[in-house]
Amino acid sequence: MPETTVVTETVSPEMRVVPYLSVHDGAAALDFYARAFEAETIERYDFDGKLGHATVRINGGILMLADEFPDPDGQIGNVSPKTLGNRTTSTINLNVDNADAWFERAVAAGAAPIRPCRDEFFGRHGKLRDPFGHVWSLVALKPQSEQR
């Protein structure tokens, strides 16, 4: 079995594992994430009239995204939830200080509630779908000593 090495010198901790979303209408997605989650765009590159790549910071973490480029013979061959009938294979978990406030702000910005915030054994938790089809869990964790 090969050895696993963690690269630490050139990659900051927040960049070691980074979700990369495919969206339909990348410019609108950047605007939505700024309004819903206070995302700060760190870099943005346009390509062929679409969002070729963007990196944003949300709540101290990094998220990358690009418009879908669905041609499997093209450079990327990625599709967005819109192309998949609004289905996705993953949920983005966002640990926040106040799940209700983040949830309400995201809904006001255009997200669709899937499950309103409620108390869970691990803390306060709500789930929503952004206008681009991605599912987000907003979680305000209880201190470890209170989780049962």
Side-chain angles (χ1 to χ4, degrees):
M1 181 178 242
E3 269 188 54
T4 302
T5 307
V6 177
V7 178
T8 57
E9 296 89 36
T10 59
V11 179
S12 64
E14 78 250 1
M15 293 291 288
R16 291 188 186 145
V17 176
V18 179
Y20 203 119
L21 303 181
S22 295
V23 296
H24 183 84
D25 195 353
L30 288 175
D31 178 61
F32 170 78
Y33 295 136
R35 290 182 292 113
F37 303 129
E38 297 182 342
E40 170 197 359
T41 299
I42 297 170
E43 60 183 353
R44 175 185 176 159
Y45 304 99
D46 293 325
F47 179 78
D48 281 352
K50 293 182 172 186
L51 179 63
H53 169 81
T55 301
V56 299
R57 185 180 315 280
I58 298 175
N59 197 35
I62 297 294
L63 176 75
M64 294 180 183
L65 63 143
D67 264 307
E68 64 180 351
F69 290 87
D71 182 2
D73 296 326
Q75 284 187 309
I76 303 170
N78 65 318
V79 295
S80 72
K82 181 177 181 178
T83 298
L84 298 173
N86 215 29
R87 293 175 182 239
T88 184
T89 62
S90 61
T91 296
I92 302 160
N93 190 77
L94 186 57
N95 292 321
V96 297
D97 58 345
N98 183 328
D100 292 279
W102 281 73
F103 189 91
E104 290 169 17
R105 186 176 60 225
V107 169
I114 294 173
R115 189 174 73 213
C117 289
R118 64 183 184 205
D119 291 326
E120 303 279 0
F121 72 92
F122 52 84
R124 191 94 174 132
H125 176 231
K127 202 173 246 193
L128 49 83
R129 183 178 305 275
D130 72 28
F132 309 94
H134 295 286
V135 175
W136 294 74
S137 283
L138 302 176
V139 179
L141 292 170
K142 288 181 183 177
Q144 281 276 273
S145 62
E146 296 177 31
Q147 292 182 23
R148 296 191 211 304

